[in-house]
C-alpha cells in the first residue's frame, strides 16, 4: 500500500516538473544579455580629472575652468571635467607620469617639463624663438606645433591644444638686469630643462631647478636671487613682493601643452570626442587672447601698485641679448632637430623686431 502511494506521488511530482518546464520554456530559451562594462560606463557621466600646478586666476587656471564649462554644455552633462589647480594632485615633477599611467586624464604642463620626456620640445624654449604674439600663434597652429604633437603618441599622450601664458621676464633681488653681464654671479631658479640651465649658465651664474610652488619661499628666504617668469605668474603669485627688480625682456615664451591620456581618449565614443574637441577649440581661442590682456593689465598694476623696479630693454639692448644667446641654437640643434631649428629661424626672420 505504501509503495502505491509513493508511486502516485512520484508521478504527480514528475507531472508538475514537466508543466513548469513547458510553461516557462519561452523565457528560459531566450539568449542572455551580454554585459558590456565599457558601454555601461559611457551610459553614465564620464569624469575627466584635469590637474595643473598654477593658481585658478592665471591664464591657464581660467582656461581650464572655461573648458570644463564648455564640455558640460556641449556634451549635455555626459562629461564632467574636474579641475585640480595649484598642484594639489601632482606637481611638475610627477604630473606627466601620472597622466601616462591614467591617474589623471588631462594635464597642461609647461614646455620645459615636456622636454624632459621629449627633448625636441626644447625648441619652444629657445631664447627669442618667438618675437611677437603672432609668431607664437603661427608656431602653435603650424608645422612646429603639429610636429611636436605628433611625437606624443609614443609616450601615451594626445595633444589637444597649445595655451599661451605670456612672454617671460627676468626678476632679481641682486640688482637691475640690463646687459648679459649683469647676470654674472647671480643664482636663478629655473624650470626642469637642460636647455634653460644652459642658457643662464652661459653668463657665469648658478641655477637651481625648482617646482613652481616653491618659488615664492625661495625668493623670500634668499635661497635664490631671482628667475624668469611671465607677468601673470609674477603677479598672481605675488613674486613682486619678494623681488626688487624686474626686466621686461620678452626673451622667451611660457606656454602649455594641453594633453590627454591616449588610452582614455581612444576609448571615448566618436561623438564625445568631437564635442570635447569643439570645446577645446573655443577655449583655446578665448584663452590665448585672454592671456595677452591679463599680462598687459597686470603689468600696469604692478607699475602703479608695487615697489618692484621695472626696466624695459631698448631695441639695442635686446639685440645684445639675442647675440649673446645665439650660440645655444647650434649647441642644441643635434638634440632638437635641424628641421625645427630651421623653422624657428624662419619665424624670427619673418617677425623680426620688438614684440
Amino acid at each position: 500500500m505504501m509503495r502505491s502511494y509513493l508511486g502516485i506521488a512520484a508521478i504527480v511530482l514528475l507531472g508538475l516538473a514537466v508543466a513548469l518546464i513547458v510553461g516557462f520554456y519561452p523565457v528560459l530559451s531566450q539568449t542572455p544579455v551580454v554585459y558590456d562594462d565599457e558601454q555601461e560606463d559611457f551610459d553614465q557621466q564620464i569624469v575627466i580629472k584635469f590637474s595643473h600646478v598654477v593658481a585658478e586666476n592665471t591664464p591657464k587656471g581660467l582656461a581650464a575652468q572655461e573648458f570644463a564649462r564648455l564640455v558640460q554644455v556641449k556634451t549635455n552633462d555626459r562629461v564632467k571635467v574636474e579641475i585640480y589647480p595649484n598642484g594639489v594632485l601632482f606637481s611638475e615633477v610627477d604630473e606627466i607620469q601620472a597622466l601616462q599611467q591614467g591617474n589623471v586624464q588631462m594635464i597642461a604642463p609647461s614646455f620645459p617639463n615636456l622636454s624632459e620626456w621629449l627633448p625636441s620640445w626644447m625648441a619652444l624654449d629657445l631664447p627669442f624663438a618667438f618675437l611677437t604674439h603672432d609668431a607664437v600663434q603661427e608656431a602653435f597652429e603650424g608645422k612646429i606645433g603639429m610636429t611636436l604633437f605628433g611625437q606624443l603618441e609614443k609616450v601615451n599622450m594626445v595633444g589637444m591644444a597649445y595655451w599661451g601664458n605670456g612672454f617671460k621676464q627676468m626678476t632679481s633681488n641682486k640688482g637691475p638686469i640690463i646687459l648679459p653681464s649683469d647676470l654674472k654671479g647671480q643664482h636663478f631658479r629655473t624650470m626642469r630643462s637642460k636647455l634653460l640651465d644652459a642658457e643662464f649658465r652661459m653668463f657665469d651664474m648658478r641655477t637651481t631647478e625648482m617646482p613652481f610652488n616653491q618659488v615664492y619661499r625661495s625668493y623670500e628666504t634668499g635661497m635664490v636671487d631671482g628667475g624668469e617668469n611671465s607677468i601673470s605668474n609674477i603677479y598672481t603669485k605675488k613674486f613682486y613682493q619678494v623681488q626688487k627688480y624686474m626686466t621686461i625682456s620678452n626673451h622667451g615664451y611660457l606656454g602649455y601643452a594641453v594633453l590627454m591620456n591616449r588610452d582614455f581618449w581612444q576609448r571615448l565614443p566618436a561623438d564625445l570626442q568631437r564635442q570635447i574637441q569643439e570645446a577645446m577649440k573655443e577655449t583655446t581661442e578665448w584663452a590665448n587672447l585672454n592671456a595677452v590682456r591679463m599680462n598687459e593689465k597686470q603689468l600696469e598694476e604692478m607699475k602703479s601698485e608695487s615697489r618692484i623696479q621695472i626696466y624695459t630693454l631698448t631695441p639695442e639692448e635686446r639685440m645684445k641679448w639675442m647675440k649673446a644667446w645665439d650660440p645655444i641654437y647650434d649647441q642644441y640643434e643635434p638634440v632638437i632637430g635641424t628641421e625645427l631649428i630651421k623653422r624657428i629661424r624662419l619665424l624670427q626672420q619673418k617677425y623680426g623686431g620688438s614684440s
Side-chain angles (χ1 to χ4, degrees), residues 37 61 112 196 257 271 283 294 303 319 342:
D37 57 344
L196 295 179
D271 62 325
T283 299
M294 283 186 68
K303 286 179 178 179
M319 186 58 65
K342 178 182 176 182

Side-chain angles (χ1 to χ4, degrees), residues 228-246:
E228 59 171 1
N229 230 306
S230 67
I231 292 293
S232 65
N233 281 354
I234 294 168
Y235 182 85
T236 56
K237 285 297 185 180
K238 302 186 186 302
F239 294 160
Y240 59 84
Q241 294 182 346
V242 287
Q243 293 278 267
K244 296 177 182 177
Y245 307 95
M246 179 167 69

Side-chain angles (χ1 to χ4, degrees), residues 329-352:
Y329 281 74
D330 290 336
Q331 181 182 344
Y332 274 83
E333 183 174 336
V335 178
I336 294 171
T338 301
E339 186 61 28
L340 283 171
I341 294 287
K342 178 182 176 182
R343 291 187 178 278
I344 286 175
R345 291 290 198 189
L346 290 172
L347 275 182
Q348 288 175 323
Q349 294 172 14
K350 180 176 179 179
Y351 293 99

Side-chain angles (χ1 to χ4, degrees), residues 118 171 267 348:
L118 298 165
T171 64
R267 287 198 304 268
Q348 288 175 323

